[in-house]
Amino acid sequence: MFVYESTKSGFLDDVLAGRLVSEIKRGYQSHGIGMGASSEIRSWKNSLQYMHTVLINSSVPDNAGVAIEFKIPLTSRRVDFLLSGYDNADNANVIIIELKQWSGDSTQMVADKDGIVKTPLGGGIHETTHPSYQASSYAQLLKDFNVTVREKPINLYPLAYLHNFESEHREKLDNETYQSYIAKAPLYIREDTRQLREFVASQIDTGDNRKNLYEMSNGKIRPAKSLQRSLLSMLERQDEFTLIDSQKVVFEKAVELAIQSRRDGQKRVLLIEGGPGTGKTVVAINILAELIQQDMITQYVSKNRAPRDVYEQKLRGDKLVKQIKHLFTGAGSFVETETNTIPALIADEAHRLNEESTFFGRGENQIMEIINAAKFSVFFIDENQRVHIDDIGSKQEIRQHARNLNADIEEMTLTSQFRCNGSRGYVAWVDDMLQIRQTANADGFDLEFDIHVFDSPHALHTAIEQKNNQNRVSRVVAGYCWEWEKDGRADPSISDITIGNYERSWNLDTNDPWAITEGSIDQVGCIHTCQGLEFDYVGVIIGEDLKYRDGDIIVDHEERASTDRSLFGIKKMFRENPNKAAETAEEVIKNTYRTLLTRGMKGCYLYCCDDELQSYLKTRVENISINS
């Protein structure tokens, strides 16, 4: 899909006549896409004026194809600018140009991370991918999934053009740290306009009147054999992705239904319920890998970035394989996707799905959008892990949208417990202790699980640090009761959490997954960086939003940090519907701690900021020891 397409001569005429931006606006509107703020429109005017300069005196034929904003399959990303034609050997070529408005004085090199730079984005300095990495990843994605690009073939030439970037700052981006990506996608800055013009002309000797662009845009989408082999080898060498018990049964049913939908075209939905530690994500990754082997485009979908990043990194291990990243996507990626475009989508943590996708300011319902986009969709759900006021994921909601979209629906349950030392009883004990529901596990559970209440957050953190040194990854997490100030989110010297003389940073805001990044043991994670993940041992600091009074567990939403959006709008809800607001606040806060308390494989260590809750939990844990 192109927002704008023309020829070189048509593009130059549109720029000269001052109508290019209005044509781009019209293209956005015809595809039902919001173009964005006035700043985005200004950036288009600026960048495309530079492309006009590149092309106007070049030897590129007038009938060479030009396209703006080409949507990359399987992503919400778009290529800024494309040129198409044939070289002097009659090879079909498409040049992929990533345009950036960056200036050199505000851009910084990040030497210790792969393909990452810092530059102003969204009102602050943030980490993002190097422009050459970005352009080369687009080309790689097209090679991996577009049949026409692979088989015709169409040669892709990615590059990055930073037309505002000053030469005195070149070394920040054009250096050894990024050389592997610059070799794949050359980097051009302000003073390189002549060289860029020469490169473009060298690849397009004869015009194609947009033919190669059309063929690429309409090419069938199917995974390349190289991607299939790579993904399979990654999965086979990772023991933690092995399926057992009900996991294997669910996996086989999902593969069977996906293949049926491919054969008969009937839309199908598989709804899988599973509590904490039942292996929902492990099954999801296995389904993803198997359907890719079956020549079916498939994506793993989750609202939270944390599980996507962690499992993508776990899957590839120490291999520098980048193309699988596009198999992992956010829940808001399917607003524009037409019905049955994607053979299969796997929605993990489906309880976290929202109504509005907030993708280009649009979206109706993420559950509906996923079911609509895919011939076959899988939803993994635990309704007791809804931890945000906007979470709508429920079995009933999924059933309703499946019926509305004429999808056949089947339901299954994952039962075996692989976390909490295999004890379903511990999860039931947590529910009883938090007074979510009464269970038969009020005074204990059936298998050994290391649970301890510490007298200080210092002692808790030290104990978790020792476990982290001895075993697999262990981490400290907390309820979101301390502010996460914007200016210090990437600064480890900033102490966000202060309890007496205990001071720590919240999980740092970087591109690396907090849950598995070396050094994260010094920080404290929150619900948003650990949900859907697991640790060997978890240390949980329970903030003042959960208290114990007169025999009851009570919640206090006023103690939540203002930077936490989980209860955004609750004050208005209390004014309009106090009963509903109280129920919502209790569900979100108790589910948050239920989720945090069930992240550990072998043990959970606790500290409570509320003295009465601390005493209550000590008594509950002592009763476990007495009765075990």
Side-chain angles (χ1 to χ4, degrees):
M1 181 193 80
F2 304 111
V3 168
Y4 170 93
E5 49 88 11
S6 186
T7 60
K8 171 193 165 183
S9 60
F11 166 75
L12 295 177
D13 286 346
D14 286 339
V15 173
L16 185 63
R19 59 175 174 257
L20 180 62
V21 172
S22 61
E23 288 294 323
I24 293 173
K25 285 182 180 179
R26 189 174 297 112
Y28 272 103
Q29 292 166 356
S30 68
H31 292 295
I33 308 169
M35 186 169 176
S38 57
S39 59
E40 185 176 357
I41 296 172
R42 287 195 301 272
S43 70
W44 270 121
K45 286 181 179 178
N46 187 21
S47 292
L48 294 174
Q49 190 65 52
Y50 277 93
M51 286 309 303
H52 177 274
T53 301
V54 169
L55 292 176
I56 191 168
N57 292 318
S58 74
S59 62
V60 173
D62 285 345
N63 65 337
V66 169
I68 294 171
E69 291 281 278
F70 170 60
K71 187 177 184 298
I72 300 286
L74 305 185
T75 77
S76 59
R77 306 306 299 269
R78 293 180 173 80
V79 176
D80 291 334
F81 199 94
L82 301 101
L83 284 165
S84 67
Y86 302 95
D87 61 21
N88 55 18
D90 205 32
N91 296 307
N93 294 341
V94 170
I95 299 173
I96 292 172
I97 303 177
E98 178 66 21
L99 297 169
K100 296 294 185 188
Q101 307 237 17
W102 301 358
S103 64
D105 57 354
S106 56
T107 300
Q108 306 168 34
M109 180 179 73
V110 180
D112 58 343
K113 294 184 180 179
D114 181 34
I116 300 298
V117 299
K118 284 185 177 181
T119 198
L121 294 170
I125 303 293
H126 295 284
E127 292 185 348
T128 188
T129 51
H130 188 282
S132 292
Y133 171 89
Q134 193 170 337
S136 63
S137 69
Y138 291 166
Q140 186 63 54
L141 186 61
L142 286 166
K143 292 173 187 175
D144 282 334
F145 294 102
N146 192 299
V147 174
T148 301
V149 168
R150 291 198 305 269
E151 295 183 357
K152 183 178 178 178
I154 295 175
N155 300 314
L156 303 179
Y157 293 93
L159 61 89
Y161 183 29
L162 283 67
H163 48 75
N164 292 338
F165 208 88
E166 305 88 350
S167 59
E168 61 265 31
H169 299 290
R170 180 188 291 272
E171 181 62 21
K172 292 181 179 180
L173 294 182
D174 192 356
N175 59 64
E176 187 61 32
T177 300
Y178 306 115
Q179 204 51 238
S180 62
Y181 299 114
I182 294 172
K184 297 176 184 177
L187 179 73
Y188 297 89
I189 63 173
R190 177 188 289 177
E191 67 175 7
D192 299 332
T193 302
R194 187 181 300 277
Q195 293 94 312
L196 175 58
R197 179 185 298 152
E198 291 172 354
F199 174 78
V200 168
S202 71
Q203 304 304 325
I204 301 180
D205 191 65
T206 305
D208 66 345
N209 200 32
R210 296 167 276 189
K211 180 182 178 182
N212 292 318
L213 293 175
Y214 288 149
E215 291 185 355
M216 184 175 73
S217 179
N218 295 321
K220 291 182 179 179
I221 304 301
R222 190 172 67 235
K225 295 297 182 185
S226 59
L227 174 63
Q228 294 174 334
R229 290 192 296 269
S230 181
L231 188 59
L232 185 61
S233 68
M234 292 177 212
L235 195 68
E236 287 177 341
R237 76 176 198 278
Q238 298 278 355
D239 291 341
E240 66 183 286
F241 292 109
T242 301
L243 300 174
I244 61 176
D245 298 340
S246 59
Q247 294 179 335
K248 177 67 170 172
V249 175
V250 168
F251 165 79
E252 294 292 347
K253 173 56 73 172
V255 174
E256 174 192 347
L257 295 178
I259 292 173
Q260 285 181 0
S261 288
R262 178 171 63 180
R263 288 173 178 167
D264 62 19
Q266 172 61 40
K267 188 183 287 290
R268 288 180 173 86
V269 170
L270 179 59
L271 174 56
I272 302 166
E273 185 176 16
T278 51
K280 295 186 292 293
T281 302
V282 169
V283 180
I285 298 299
N286 273 272
I287 295 170
L288 170 71
E290 178 58 27
L291 295 184
I292 291 291
Q293 304 308 310
Q294 297 284 343
D295 280 340
M296 298 174 66
I297 294 295
T298 309
Q299 286 184 289
Y300 170 97
V301 182
S302 72
K303 176 190 172 185
N304 277 11
R305 172 184 164 186
R308 296 198 306 270
D309 289 352
V310 167
Y311 279 95
E312 180 258 323
Q313 187 163 317
K314 279 187 175 184
L315 188 57
R316 62 183 172 92
D318 57 2
K319 286 190 174 183
L320 293 177
V321 179
K322 300 297 182 184
Q323 62 262 42
I324 70 167
K325 192 173 189 68
H326 300 292
L327 301 179
F328 296 78
T329 190
S333 302
F334 307 101
V335 175
E336 303 170 17
T337 309
E338 296 180 2
T339 301
N340 293 343
T341 299
I342 302 172
L345 292 174
I346 304 163
D348 201 4
E349 302 289 313
H351 36 271
R352 296 301 322 278
L353 296 175
N354 293 169
E355 285 190 349
E356 294 182 1
S357 287
T358 65
F359 178 71
F360 287 107
R362 302 174 61 250
E364 300 176 31
N365 182 293
Q366 290 178 344
I367 294 172
M368 180 274 291
E369 290 157 6
I370 289 169
I371 297 174
N372 176 70
K375 285 185 180 178
F376 172 64
S377 49
V378 187
F379 293 87
F380 289 89
I381 192 167
D382 176 2
E383 291 178 321
N384 288 322
Q385 288 195 52
R386 287 186 287 182
V387 297
H388 195 290
I389 195 171
D390 292 333
D391 291 349
I392 62 163
S394 70
K395 292 181 287 185
Q396 183 55 40
E397 186 88 5
I398 294 168
R399 292 179 191 125
Q400 175 188 330
H401 288 292
R403 288 193 296 267
N404 292 346
L405 291 167
N406 298 315
D408 293 344
I409 184 166
E410 293 196 33
E411 301 186 29
M412 301 182 76
T413 303
L414 287 167
T415 55
S416 297
Q417 173 60 241
F418 302 97
R419 205 178 291 154
C420 309
N421 242 357
S423 175
R424 282 184 284 175
Y426 170 73
V427 178
W429 179 85
V430 169
D431 287 346
D432 189 274
M433 181 270 291
L434 291 173
Q435 297 177 357
I436 292 174
R437 62 185 177 95
Q438 286 188 329
T439 73
N441 300 82
D443 294 325
F445 36 88
D446 52 358
L447 290 177
E448 182 180 348
F449 184 70
D450 187 5
I451 182 167
H452 185 81
V453 180
F454 285 81
D455 291 329
S456 74
H458 275 298
L460 177 146
H461 209 123
T462 299
I464 292 296
E465 285 174 335
Q466 292 172 350
K467 293 297 183 184
N468 187 66
N469 291 333
Q470 297 167 5
N471 303 292
R472 297 172 58 201
V473 172
S474 298
R475 290 289 184 268
V476 177
V477 298
Y480 207 152
C481 298
W482 294 268
E483 301 294 331
W484 192 37
E485 299 297 348
K486 187 174 182 179
D487 291 342
R489 290 183 178 182
D491 186 352
S493 68
I494 300 294
S495 295
D496 304 293
I497 299 171
T498 301
I499 306 170
N501 60 356
Y502 172 83
E503 296 183 352
R504 297 280 175 158
S505 292
W506 275 123
N507 33 247
L508 295 184
D509 186 16
T510 68
N511 277 13
D512 293 329
W514 167 83
I516 57 175
T517 298
E518 188 175 351
S520 294
I521 185 62
D522 298 327
Q523 305 149 29
V524 176
C526 69
I527 185 65
H528 307 303
T529 50
C530 74
Q531 188 170 24
L533 305 173
E534 62 187 25
F535 310 106
D536 214 33
Y537 279 76
V538 63
V540 181
I541 298 173
I542 299 179
E544 293 282 359
D545 58 343
L546 196 71
K547 300 176 181 178
Y548 186 74
R549 299 289 184 270
D550 301 322
D552 291 324
I553 296 285
I554 63 172
V555 304
D556 185 354
H557 71 275
E558 297 281 358
E559 294 291 343
R560 277 294 182 102
S562 64
T563 49
D564 177 30
R565 307 290 288 182
S566 299
L567 284 169
F568 182 74
I570 196 70
K571 292 182 179 179
K572 180 181 179 183
M573 188 184 293
F574 265 105
R575 292 193 299 269
E576 297 174 350
N577 191 336
N579 291 334
K580 180 182 177 183
E583 291 175 3
T584 299
E586 181 171 8
E587 179 186 25
V588 167
I589 292 173
K590 286 187 175 182
N591 280 355
T592 296
Y593 285 111
R594 179 184 189 266
T595 302
L596 296 180
L597 289 164
T598 54
R599 297 303 92 193
M601 297 281 287
K602 296 180 179 179
C604 177
Y605 293 166
L606 295 160
Y607 172 79
C608 304
C609 293
D610 178 69
D611 291 340
E612 293 186 47
L613 183 61
Q614 178 87 340
S615 297
Y616 164 72
L617 281 185
K618 280 189 173 182
T619 301
R620 291 297 300 262
V621 172
E622 287 169 1
N623 284 341
I624 294 172
S625 301
I626 292 170
N627 291 281
S628 60

